[in-house]
Amino acid sequence: MRTLKYFFAMTAFLILAGVLPQHGLSKTDNKGVYVIPIEGEIEKGLTSFLTRAIHEAETNHADLIIFDIDTPGGSVESASEIGKLIKGTAVKKTIAFVDSRALSAGSYISLNANEIYMVPNATMGASAIIDQKGNAAGKKAESYWRAAMKSAAEQNGRNPLYAVAMADESVDLPKYDAGKGELLTLTAQQAEEVKYSEGTVKNLDGLLKEVGFANAKVHHVDVSFAEKFARFLTNPIVVPILLTVASLGLVIELYSPGFGIPGTMGIVSLVLFFYGHLVAGLAGYESIVLFIIGIVLIVLEFFLPGAVAGILGIAAVLGSLFLASGNVKYMGISILIAITITIIGMVVMVKVFGKKMKLFKKIILSDSTNTESGYVSNVNRLELIGRIGLTKTPLRPSGTIMIDDERIDAVSEGGYIGKDVSVIVMKVEGSRIIVRETLQKESPASRDG
């Protein structure tokens, strides 16, 4: 019960922490320019930040949004959502300011803005869609992405040929160093030449002057600490690590007395998982509620007969993880990685560190119930070997014999031995006493051994 209290306390903190970032809107009566950074990898956490930032600009009736872009690309799904955000904003004008690079998904995001400006050494393009292993995606995904790039270019009056060449290496544009087998990547000069850029400027101040907002009030929307932390926690590499630490810690805690460091690490990892997905806008409170229900059912399994509560609890926990992620395939892979590493980790720790670490001494039975330690499983009647007795029941091949008025269970060497027949003990194997028919009669000498 102490574990449950600890978990519920951490969950309450998670819920409160998830709510706090939502109050980050700063309202002002000053119209002007909002500068919103799009930096690093394109993923779900960035989508949540941009949703908040664009809403802030709309709430304050901004005249212009400048997306300050420097990204190597990332998730196509996230890029598509960001593209919809930019196209759907109520702000009259949007500009993609390529401050260094807008590659892969970054080029798609840039094409969704009304205008594009670049610094002299900036690049834009190389937008082929790849899978999680870094290989080219399937034909359906490639076809979708080419169509998306083409549509993004056309909606703002740009020649779609170059957008398609960024995503499809079969398009031949040798003039721009993009022959067959190579993806198109435009420099600032080339982008301006093909009208993918409205101009080349030295910096943000130069851009503001170029578009007529040199004297406007500029609002920089920064990523909050909670959002930065959420982006880190929802990173495709970090999620399997969190789930692995959680599962490994809770499994170790399950076999340890009391509640200690492994269980704490497991619960903290789960809290961080849900916190990151909650702040990033991927998870709702329904996933947390489902997770809590699952934990309660698993705990009840220890007190209720049958396995129904445990099975339902595990199903609820797994369901909450899938519900929080929003991507069934990705979460399935993450859970599989976590389970595999947990199993391997437990085997390694038990085999290698089992007798050295105090924690595993509590889990592993190291005592041996051998004869040297004083343990005896059966009385070994070796003193009966050679003794002669009389069968009290037929041996078929087992039955009962009498030796010195003691009834003893015995078994014949193989054949049938009738009742009241003289037998001799040939072997003793633990509790198994093996006899053979004999014509001898029990004598005092044999009785004495």
Side-chain angles (χ1 to χ4, degrees):
M1 297 309 292
R2 181 182 174 187
T3 304
L4 275 179
K5 291 179 181 178
Y6 188 85
F7 173 75
F8 288 135
M10 295 291 284
T11 304
F13 167 77
L14 161 66
I15 294 173
L16 290 174
V19 173
L20 291 177
Q22 306 304 320
H23 301 304
L25 300 179
S26 57
K27 295 188 177 182
T28 175
D29 294 330
N30 295 320
K31 296 182 182 180
V33 179
Y34 275 71
V35 179
I36 302 175
I38 299 179
E39 299 173 339
E41 186 177 353
I42 305 298
E43 33 73 28
K44 291 285 188 178
L46 177 62
T47 307
S48 176
F49 160 67
L50 291 176
T51 300
R52 175 181 71 82
I54 292 173
H55 179 58
E56 181 176 340
E58 292 173 338
T59 302
N60 294 318
H61 308 290
D63 299 306
L64 169 66
I65 295 178
I66 296 176
F67 295 99
D68 192 347
I69 300 176
D70 179 11
T71 175
S75 166
V76 169
E77 182 181 356
S78 298
S80 298
E81 292 178 7
I82 293 171
K84 291 178 182 178
L85 286 174
I86 295 175
K87 286 186 293 185
T89 180
V91 177
K92 296 179 181 179
K93 187 175 182 179
T94 57
I95 292 177
F97 175 45
V98 184
D99 198 13
S100 178
R101 54 185 176 164
L103 303 179
S104 189
S107 62
Y108 172 77
I109 292 172
S110 300
L111 289 173
N112 279 278
N114 301 137
E115 297 178 359
I116 299 174
Y117 285 84
M118 303 172 71
V119 296
N121 61 344
T123 55
M124 178 173 64
S127 305
I129 183 172
I130 59 175
D131 59 21
Q132 292 182 341
K133 296 181 180 179
N135 302 317
K139 290 185 178 181
K140 289 184 178 180
E142 289 178 349
S143 177
Y144 160 78
W145 188 236
R146 281 196 302 269
M149 291 288 290
K150 180 180 178 182
S151 175
E154 288 177 335
Q155 70 184 356
N156 288 306
R158 301 181 179 104
N159 187 341
L161 173 65
Y162 303 102
V164 173
M166 291 178 182
D168 188 349
E169 60 185 18
S170 67
V171 178
D172 188 12
L173 291 174
K175 180 180 178 182
Y176 299 102
D177 300 321
K180 284 190 176 181
E182 295 180 336
L183 297 171
L184 175 63
T185 300
L186 296 173
T187 64
Q189 182 179 349
Q190 291 171 337
E192 193 170 352
E193 181 181 330
V194 299
K195 301 189 183 305
Y196 266 49
S197 168
E198 275 64 38
T200 304
V201 295
K202 289 184 178 180
N203 48 37
L204 180 60
D205 290 336
L207 171 59
L208 292 171
K209 185 177 180 180
E210 180 72 19
V211 296
F213 283 82
N215 298 321
K217 184 170 181 60
V218 179
H219 305 272
H220 292 270
V221 184
D222 297 321
V223 182
S224 68
F225 172 78
E227 288 166 333
K228 287 180 181 178
F229 195 36
R231 288 188 64 180
F232 170 75
L233 295 174
T234 55
N235 187 284
I237 297 175
V238 175
V239 169
I241 295 175
L242 287 175
L243 294 180
T244 299
V245 173
S247 57
L248 192 58
L250 293 177
V251 167
I252 293 175
E253 190 62 44
L254 184 64
Y255 290 97
S256 303
F259 189 81
I261 295 176
T264 301
M265 290 177 62
I267 289 178
V268 168
S269 296
L270 288 172
V271 169
L272 290 176
F273 170 84
F274 282 103
Y275 171 81
H277 285 74
L278 186 65
V279 174
L282 306 177
Y285 292 114
E286 67 277 3
S287 62
I288 298 176
V289 172
L290 183 61
F291 179 78
I292 294 174
I293 292 173
I295 293 295
V296 171
L297 287 172
I298 291 173
V299 172
L300 288 176
E301 176 64 26
F302 293 101
F303 305 99
L304 298 177
V308 177
I311 293 173
L312 291 176
I314 292 173
V317 169
L318 292 177
S320 69
L321 296 178
F322 282 108
L323 191 61
S325 73
N327 189 320
V328 174
K329 180 180 178 181
Y330 167 68
M331 182 50 60
I333 293 173
S334 298
I335 292 174
L336 184 61
I337 291 173
I339 293 174
T340 303
I341 295 178
T342 298
I343 294 173
I344 294 174
M346 287 298 296
V347 171
V348 170
M349 285 189 284
V350 168
K351 292 290 185 181
V352 179
F353 305 108
K355 295 182 179 180
K356 298 179 181 179
M357 297 177 64
K358 292 182 179 179
L359 172 64
F360 291 103
K361 286 182 179 178
K362 297 177 181 178
I363 301 176
I364 303 169
L365 178 63
S366 57
D367 292 335
S368 175
T369 55
N370 50 37
T371 305
E372 292 77 6
S373 301
Y375 295 94
V376 178
S377 59
N378 291 295
V379 177
N380 209 345
R381 302 293 301 276
L382 296 176
E383 76 278 3
L384 294 177
I385 296 177
R387 298 291 299 274
I388 296 175
L390 191 68
T391 59
K392 297 301 292 181
T393 65
L395 303 185
R396 298 189 177 93
S398 62
T400 303
I401 66 174
M402 291 287 293
I403 297 179
D404 289 341
D405 298 325
E406 180 184 357
R407 295 177 66 91
I408 299 172
D409 293 328
V411 61
S412 72
E413 273 190 324
Y416 169 84
I417 300 176
K419 182 182 178 183
D420 297 323
V421 176
S422 182
V423 293
I424 183 171
V425 177
M426 303 302 297
K427 288 190 293 184
V428 174
E429 298 175 348
S431 61
R432 193 165 181 260
I433 297 172
I434 303 170
V435 299
R436 177 191 298 174
E437 184 175 353
T438 181
L439 296 177
Q440 299 182 38
K441 296 295 181 179
E442 187 176 14
S443 63
S446 66
R447 184 182 297 115
D448 296 336

